[in-house]
Amino acid sequence: MTVAVKYSFKIRIEEIFSLKEKRTLVNRIKTHLKKNYDCCLVESGFQDSLRYIEMTASYISFSENEVYKIKDNMSVSIELISGGMIESEEFDYI
């Protein structure tokens, strides 16, 4: 069974002092997630904030167990790359 998922998350970041630094970090996160998890990704909120990044990813999996493994692995990767903490996340089947 093929499963499509939408995963939205908000990250709190501390050590960013300009929007240029934030864009660099957002692009690093996007590149990593697209390359390693084969997902579509968009920055969906807080574009002008220096303290938050909000993104939405969508991906397809062939089993429900794999869907949760991918989400968990993505969460760990996001926190490691950003140096921040995921404050909130939403997870929905499409």
Side-chain angles (χ1 to χ4, degrees):
M1 173 172 90
T2 303
V3 182
V5 175
K6 180 181 90 170
Y7 173 46
S8 300
F9 51 90
K10 181 171 82 172
I11 311 163
R12 179 166 175 79
I13 48 178
E14 297 294 331
E15 298 297 320
I16 299 292
F17 301 105
S18 71
L19 288 176
K20 186 176 179 181
E21 285 181 84
K22 181 182 174 187
R23 296 289 156 249
T24 301
L25 178 58
V26 167
N27 286 332
R28 198 174 333 138
I29 293 168
K30 279 183 174 181
T31 301
H32 176 79
L33 294 180
K34 286 179 181 180
K35 179 181 172 187
N36 293 300
Y37 299 101
D38 196 23
C39 64
C40 294
L41 203 63
V42 65
E43 186 177 7
S44 53
F46 295 102
Q47 284 90 350
D48 293 331
S49 170
L50 293 178
R51 295 293 159 244
Y52 292 99
I53 297 172
E54 185 174 66
M55 301 179 92
T56 300
S58 61
Y59 59 94
I60 295 174
S61 176
F62 295 106
S63 74
E64 282 195 45
N65 291 339
E66 189 177 324
V67 164
Y68 291 105
K69 282 186 211 174
I70 292 170
K71 183 193 108 22
D72 292 341
N73 290 338
M74 285 175 78
S75 298
V76 170
S77 294
I78 291 163
E79 289 184 339
L80 287 174
I81 292 168
S82 69
M85 184 178 92
I86 295 177
E87 277 198 352
S88 64
E89 56 187 2
E90 292 180 21
F91 184 77
D92 294 314
Y93 293 101
I94 302 174

